[in-house]
Amino acid sequence: RVGKERKVSSSGDTEWLQTLVMQHPWVLCVWVLAVGAEPAGEGGADVRLSGFPRKHNEGRVEVRHAGQWGSICDDDFTLDNARVLCRMLGFTGATGWTHSAKYGKGTGPVWLDNLACGGTEQHVSECPSLGWGQTDCTHDEDAGVVCKDQRIPGYKLSNTIVEEGSDDLGGVRVRPVGRPPPRLPVTEGVLEVRYRGRWERLCGDGWSPGNDRVVCGMLGFPRARNPNTSFYRMVLSRQHHRYRARAVRCEGTENHLGLCPMELVKGNATSPCPGNLPAVVSCSPGHPQRNGRRKRKGPQGRVRLKAGGLRGSGRVEVLREGEWGTVCDDRWGEVSASVVCRQLGFGSARRALGGGRMGRGTGPVYISEVGCAGTEASLLDCPHKNVTEGECGHGEDAGVECNVPDLGHQHTIRIRGGRTRFEGRLEVQVGRRNGTQRWGLVCGDGWGTLEATVACRQLGLGFANHGVQETWYWDSEGGAGEMVVSGVKCRGDELSLSQCRSHGPTVQCPRPAPRHAAGVICTETAPDLVLNAGLVEKTAYIEDRPLHMLYCAAEENCLSSTAVNANWPYGHRRLLRFSSEVQNIGRADFRPRAGRHSWLWHECHGHYHSMDIFTHYDILTVNGTKVAEGHKASFCLEDSDCGDDAGKRYECANFGEQGITVGCWDSYRHDIDCQWIDITDLKPGHYIMQIVINPNHEVSESDFSNNAMKCNCKYDGHRIWMHNCHIGDAFSEEVERRFEKYPGQLNNLIP
């Protein structure tokens, strides 16, 4: 009866079951037998999309059986299986399915194998299979589905994408006592836990530092400190308290309070509590909360998170000998992930991610099989194995989502009028009038991708897909109608729009009507472009090209400004030529912002430009002064080639769709027009060559810091040598400083 009447489906139920089993071990056997007897097809199986899909209608498919979520093996998987599963999810049908854990490896059991649906079944439990849990598959063979982006009429489900561990793990809070409302984040107060929809207190008798550490980790803080017990004893001893649990005994390495042994009280009863004082917790903020842009020194400077859409999330990278590299996901777990989070000044880990779910890195893969105990100060202090070449690829890069403190930024802005919760016209708080919260609009003039990136992160919606300057089609009843902020300019790494530059209290908006207010379209995934630095270094050479062969290039502004004064068609221009290869290592396809209807036709070269500027090519002096430049319009963004786990989707021929698929790259050979820098006017010397992809941030990416590539180069007036080519964020700050202060080559022998 225990299993039938009460399923384990929330953190509170987990605590209840854990405590019950500790007191009465026989209950576990009864519960397993009862739940295991639950028949499929009578509410015993549900379905969801999980992992990291690029769209809301695709992902790893998981079913719930016997109260536990698990995956489906891809053995003999068919489109008919996908049709049944998609209809269960509320879609009208399926367009495809995936194999080999394309959306990442699942957790828990592999519930179904050799599934053989006919396509007309109403429920997956009606389809023939080997039986629930009968399989020889691993999570490397998890199946996924791609559903038609069309809902069954009347189907009500706001979001089918459910990620593992996406339940609210921050089910604790601290309430300040006897003081004015504190500034956020709240770091000290009486501990309360959320239990079945209500906030309950815990008995403070025997409360330990290990308990403090676990709670502070859940609240987003790396460490705990001792509260003023005398003050709380004086204030709280006069009050009557009800307690949900007592005798909490955490070791300090758990990432959730529900994993700690405790005596939990069911129903409306209250736990006896010697001393009648609730648990009080005081946490110490980490360095990201003191100053988001603080230069990190010490252990925290040897690890970083990259390409995460939210604060405290991203791909884990470590620094060795001045170069950043990634961590392999072999044996990667929440204990090791929590060490990373605390090292960076956050709390414990909310989720440990594998399979390159935060995008794929570009440097070396340094370590694998990390086995932290949970008390280490640095990830590199944990037992680990050094990765040998070919042992672990970037498709297995580890990532993490950390618990972060509630700074309240998400409550100071909102979006209204959009078709989904990911889009709408942006509104900001502007104080209260007559007790009512007032909201205002942001001027759309100058609003772009970087500003939208900050807004989407602040809202907790991930990355920016577009920063919209006109929002007349998102007009909403009851929304704000007055412009209150203008001139917003962001770097892209701010925690909130209030940290960006603006015109201040004086609004200077050339188009003040609400239809010209700023808006955002947010997305959970984004592309990430990087350049193949080694290819540029190997293929660079100089060509003296006759002017009569450069008319088309001049028309597209691919020559330096002095070319206008040349004696056309006689003479020549000196060009630094090279090949380039742009790869998409992100989690969404890179697509031009403009649709095909607005692409520009260039008659001379006979092609369309989908982006005015796709790449900047520059020659800089060692102090950063630009002395030669070039640019590349995206006349053809296509998949030139792809990795083993990706397929080509974009081709420019016949006015086809342009873009770069995840895991594919777009190649530009050295011998095509504009694939050069005009160095006709360059004097001999030592320089820095710089290439920047997507320089105007026209298309959103998960990480703009790796869009630049730099090389040291020596030019003697006849030949050029390129060396030390690298992606802009591949090295430590110290190594980068040495690169910029490079004295130049003393000979032609490049080490």
Side-chain angles (χ1 to χ4, degrees), residues 156 364 428 471:
K156 297 184 181 299
V428 298
T471 54

Side-chain angles (χ1 to χ4, degrees), residues 398-622:
V400 68
E401 290 180 358
C402 304
N403 289 316
V404 298
D406 181 11
L407 301 178
H409 293 317
Q410 70 276 19
H411 304 303
T412 61
I413 65 173
R414 68 184 184 185
I415 51 178
R416 301 286 296 273
R419 298 162 297 179
T420 70
R421 68 186 184 93
F422 287 92
E423 65 177 34
R425 178 182 291 169
L426 187 66
E427 298 182 2
V428 298
Q429 280 187 356
V430 289
R432 291 182 175 271
R433 177 183 293 171
N434 299 327
T436 303
Q437 179 65 58
R438 295 176 56 232
W439 295 86
L441 303 175
V442 178
C443 180
D445 188 56
W447 183 264
T449 302
L450 294 181
E451 291 71 36
T453 296
V454 175
C456 290
R457 185 188 304 121
Q458 184 176 349
L459 289 164
L461 298 178
F463 305 100
N465 198 352
H466 292 299
V468 184
Q469 296 185 355
E470 292 188 12
T471 54
W472 53 269
Y473 43 83
W474 284 335
D475 198 9
S476 60
E477 295 183 6
E482 178 187 359
M483 295 285 184
V484 296
V485 180
S486 64
V488 178
K489 286 297 175 186
C490 304
R491 295 184 312 274
D493 60 351
E494 294 89 349
L495 299 181
S496 72
L497 288 176
S498 61
Q499 297 177 355
C500 301
R501 294 177 297 158
S502 70
H503 289 154
T506 303
V507 178
Q508 304 173 30
C509 191
R511 299 181 297 173
R515 62 176 294 165
H516 299 298
V520 296
I521 302 176
C522 305
T523 178
E524 293 176 316
T525 59
D528 186 14
L529 299 186
V530 295
L531 197 70
N532 185 337
L535 181 63
V536 175
E537 183 171 338
K538 290 187 295 185
T539 58
Y541 67 95
I542 288 177
E543 178 193 10
D544 290 334
R545 193 163 183 82
L547 283 173
H548 69 84
M549 302 176 68
L550 295 173
Y551 279 104
C552 284
E555 179 184 310
E556 296 193 9
N557 297 318
C558 295
L559 302 176
S560 66
S561 58
T562 59
V564 177
N565 303 320
N567 186 22
W568 293 80
Y570 309 104
H572 67 272
R573 303 297 292 182
R574 176 157 290 185
L575 308 176
L576 170 58
R577 282 187 173 276
F578 49 88
S579 297
S580 65
E581 187 178 88
V582 180
Q583 185 176 8
N584 183 2
I585 63 172
R587 295 188 287 141
D589 295 350
F590 184 92
R591 298 295 308 280
R593 180 172 181 175
R596 284 194 291 182
H597 64 281
S598 59
W599 294 354
L600 297 177
W601 173 257
H602 282 251
E603 185 69 33
C604 195
H605 279 135
H607 56 236
Y608 285 92
H609 284 187
S610 56
M611 292 174 64
D612 289 337
I613 302 293
F614 178 60
T615 312
H616 274 171
Y617 305 139
D618 300 314
I619 298 292
L620 312 174
T621 63
V622 290

